[in-house]
Amino acid sequence: MSQAAKLRALLAQDKLHVMPCCFDALSAKLIEQGGFDLTFMSGFAASASRIGAPDLGLMSYGEVLDQVRNITDATSIPLLADGDTGYGNAMNVRRTVAGFAKAGAAAVMIEDQLAPKRCGHTPGKAVVSREEAFDRIRAANDAREDGADILILARTDARHDHGLGEAIERAAKFAELGADILFVEAPKTVEEMRTVCAELPGPKMANIVEGGETPDLSHAELRDLGYAIAAYPLTLMAAAMKAMTDTLAVMKQDGDRTPHLMDFKTLRQKIGFNDYYEVSEKYRSSARET
């Protein structure tokens, strides 16, 4: 079963899929080991991890594609990947969608922000015209019809400058143009979230940024509103950065850092040393026989 087929099967279930977001192969691997069914490569977190810079359109298509490949090579759960604005015009969108599909992504997110885009919960973002936004999703769907086995996650940030009504109208058109999952970014109240789910067809994704603009509801509340996916784009990145920062402060003072650390045995196991040794053992055995 392809990754896209796995994701379609998950979305056919009548439940909320909790989706911690990864930023590299190791974080994705830990998400899978934690028992989660899917993950999303957060552009915000990947930009911070890979180039140490904010998510303001600085990472290139090639860098993002390489990050996607690293993650899909290390995991078996479906990966939803952040395709930003498609990295150019409609023809670039087609290339992005086809490239992500070849890299093993189960879905690609295409959004309607102006380039360079920015995090949906930070100031200064703006969206392109309806016509350009629709062309992006049309091009993404065309790439799929040309053979890209991948789902389309269509995102609109129109709520910020143009209101919820405009965002819902754009998302509804995205669905008409072939989008499989709809993502209205940054609704500000529970009532807005309820309206999004009530008025739009198909699976909807909520984006929960701790300290962001969207209410941080419980899983049960998100499910009852009608969301199919709850994405947590910065939770793991924020946890990792706090742990590293706290540990560095302890090291600076020559304090006891062991309470902050995963034990060495568990660390090796989670990275995959034990699996490697188990598989490699059969080759050492055959070598001895010869």
Side-chain angles (χ1 to χ4, degrees):
M1 183 182 292
S2 71
Q3 294 296 338
K6 288 182 184 179
L7 180 56
R8 290 188 184 95
L10 289 174
L11 293 175
Q13 300 172 3
D14 184 19
K15 63 178 290 187
L16 174 78
H17 296 282
V18 177
M19 186 172 69
C21 297
C22 62
F23 45 89
D24 60 10
L26 179 58
S27 57
K29 199 167 187 176
L30 292 174
I31 290 167
E32 181 171 12
Q33 291 172 1
F36 293 92
D37 294 327
L38 72 174
T39 186
F40 180 93
M41 191 193 81
S42 160
F44 186 118
S47 182
S49 172
R50 185 179 177 106
I51 65 173
D55 182 25
L56 296 172
L58 297 174
M59 271 217 300
S60 69
Y61 165 69
E63 289 173 311
V64 175
L65 185 64
D66 182 61
Q67 201 82 341
V68 170
R69 288 196 191 100
N70 289 341
I71 292 167
T72 57
D73 283 348
T75 56
S76 62
I77 59 176
L79 172 70
L80 291 72
D82 188 349
D84 287 339
T85 63
Y87 305 98
N89 63 17
M91 295 303 293
N92 293 92
V93 172
R94 289 178 65 123
R95 180 172 183 246
T96 296
V97 172
F100 279 29
K102 289 178 182 177
V108 55
M109 184 175 79
I110 300 295
E111 61 191 64
D112 63 356
Q113 279 197 45
L114 280 169
K117 60 82 47 130
R118 57 191 64 220
C119 169
H121 292 254
T122 57
K125 66 178 182 176
V127 295
V128 297
S129 68
R130 282 189 175 196
E131 292 72 20
E132 185 172 352
F134 298 157
D135 274 349
R136 289 177 184 176
I137 304 305
R138 189 176 291 112
N141 190 59
D142 288 346
R144 182 169 55 185
E145 291 185 352
D146 282 346
D149 186 17
I150 195 167
L151 277 70
I152 299 166
L153 167 58
R155 163 178 164 171
T156 177
D157 287 78
R159 165 68 185 87
H160 181 71
D161 281 342
H162 303 282
L164 187 66
E166 173 67 12
I168 288 175
E169 288 187 24
R170 287 186 179 218
K173 184 63 175 181
F174 292 162
E176 289 180 25
L177 293 172
D180 304 281
I181 308 165
L182 300 178
F183 172 20
V184 174
E185 173 64 306
K188 297 181 184 298
T189 65
V190 173
E191 190 54 41
E192 287 192 359
M193 298 169 79
R194 181 177 290 110
T195 300
V196 166
C197 291
E199 295 192 10
L200 290 173
K204 275 78 63 177
M205 187 177 91
N207 192 40
I208 308 300
V209 176
E210 293 86 356
E213 296 184 336
T214 297
D216 188 355
L217 305 179
S218 70
H219 298 165
E221 289 171 317
L222 291 168
R223 181 193 63 234
D224 291 344
L225 286 175
Y227 284 104
I229 300 173
Y232 295 83
L234 300 181
T235 307
L236 293 188
M237 168 67 72
M241 289 180 67
K242 185 177 189 309
M244 288 189 284
T245 301
D246 290 349
T247 303
L248 288 169
V250 170
M251 290 182 71
K252 187 76 170 178
Q253 300 300 321
D254 196 21
D256 181 9
R257 60 189 179 275
T258 54
H260 301 270
L261 306 181
M262 177 179 287
D263 69 84
F264 188 42
K265 180 179 179 180
T266 304
L267 184 145
R268 296 197 315 270
Q269 181 269 322
K270 288 189 173 295
I271 290 173
F273 279 87
N274 295 349
D275 294 337
Y276 178 93
Y277 293 143
E278 182 179 346
V279 172
S280 66
E281 182 63 30
K282 65 180 181 181
Y283 300 111
R284 289 200 293 270
S285 299
S286 62
R288 285 195 295 269
E289 290 172 1
T290 57

